[in-house]
Amino acid sequence: MIEKWKRIIQSARHPLAITGAGISVASGLPTVSSRWRGIPLREIFTLHLFLNEPDRFYRCYREVLLGWNAAKPNPAHLALARWQIPIITMNIDGLHQEAGSPHVIELHGNLRELICLGCDSIFSSDLARTDNFPLCPSCQGRLKPNIVLVGEEVHHFSSAVDWVGRSDVLLIIGTRLEMAPCNQLPKVASRTGATMIRINQEAERIVPAILNIKPNESVHPFHQ
Ligand SMILES: [Zn+2]
């Protein structure tokens, strides 16, 4: 299988990767199924809890930030970055950018930033490390982690559809793409006839193995 996938990627002109939690497991990161004090993160990172119990929300968020600080890109992130393959990710860990990937759509936002609910300004999540409930330095509005909470819409979805529509080989890594609206993306690829390669286990071993070849000179990363 690895040899076949290598050949497919070698001849790709517009490869694209869609990544989910599975690619970051080897970096030691929690997933939405992980628990904080016995409660799954998906039940804490909700708009409802943020608005109604911000202190509890931020206590959990601060602990997640500590774990995130310790995480580093693994060989799967680094191999995708070396090839400069554009990436659509559901992860909020920013490890693709840290690995050096220049073109990344973060569908679920990221842990680097806070966004002001008053003026939409973006600030570093460092502001949440000390304040119990950080406020905007410009307008004193409430700052919300710039991650997509349960109850909010994903970011940049139309760009993601556009990227998938222009790709000829799609690497689907560490996600089964079962949840709406991301389950639409493989359907777009099916319509355009793109080849899909699904890697659900051991991404940190398999992705470098299939990309351990010289990138084709004619591969063109496309821009947003
Ligand atoms: Zn503001």
Side-chain angles (χ1 to χ4, degrees):
M1 195 60 96
I2 299 246
E3 289 306 314
K4 182 182 167 198
W5 286 348
K6 271 188 182 179
R7 283 197 300 278
I8 291 170
I9 292 169
Q10 184 77 76
S11 60
R13 291 185 56 82
H14 298 289
L16 172 70
I18 301 181
T19 67
I23 196 173
S24 293
V25 167
S27 296
L29 276 166
T31 69
V32 288
S33 308
S34 308
R35 289 168 182 267
W36 178 74
R37 299 182 189 177
I39 309 165
L41 284 180
R42 69 162 67 82
E43 290 176 23
I44 293 175
F45 285 159
T46 66
L47 190 59
H48 185 265
L49 193 77
F50 174 76
L51 295 172
N52 293 287
E53 296 185 60
D55 286 346
R56 188 160 161 244
F57 179 96
Y58 263 108
R59 269 204 309 279
C60 172
Y61 178 73
R62 271 192 290 278
E63 289 187 23
V64 169
L65 280 187
L66 288 178
W68 170 60
N69 263 1
K72 291 281 164 268
N74 67 53
H77 299 103
L78 295 168
L80 291 169
R82 180 168 162 264
W83 266 63
Q84 302 210 339
I85 292 179
I87 291 160
I88 298 168
T89 188
M90 270 155 281
N91 298 339
I92 59 177
D93 54 41
L95 292 180
H96 288 300
Q97 288 92 333
E98 199 177 329
S101 282
H103 312 294
V104 183
I105 291 179
E106 294 177 310
L107 291 172
H108 291 169
N110 65 73
L111 286 166
R112 295 183 303 276
E113 301 167 343
L114 304 174
I115 183 165
C116 173
L117 295 181
C119 68
D120 287 338
S121 298
I122 300 282
F123 299 94
S124 161
S125 57
D126 285 344
L127 284 181
R129 289 183 198 281
T130 46
D131 292 356
N132 272 347
F133 190 67
L135 296 177
C136 174
S138 336
C139 80
Q140 298 300 303
R142 300 168 87 178
L143 293 180
K144 186 187 88 69
N146 199 12
I147 56 179
V148 173
L149 301 176
V150 176
E152 294 185 303
E153 285 188 15
V154 303
H155 296 170
H156 313 300
F157 191 67
S158 58
S159 298
V161 170
D162 183 49
W163 283 23
V164 172
R166 285 189 279 155
S167 72
D168 58 351
V169 173
L170 203 55
L171 291 160
I172 302 175
I173 306 167
T175 170
R176 294 182 194 278
L177 291 178
E178 284 166 343
M179 302 284 282
C182 300
N183 58 0
Q184 296 301 313
L185 299 176
K187 293 176 188 166
V188 173
S190 294
R191 277 203 296 277
T192 60
T195 305
M196 282 182 264
I197 295 175
R198 293 177 184 268
I199 301 164
N200 280 316
Q201 306 273 327
E202 295 185 80
E204 69 284 359
R205 181 178 67 81
I206 294 174
V207 175
I210 63 177
L211 294 178
N212 186 23
I213 40 180
K214 192 169 180 289
N216 186 329
E217 296 289 331
S218 64
V219 166
H220 303 294
F222 39 73
H223 299 256
Q224 199 163 351

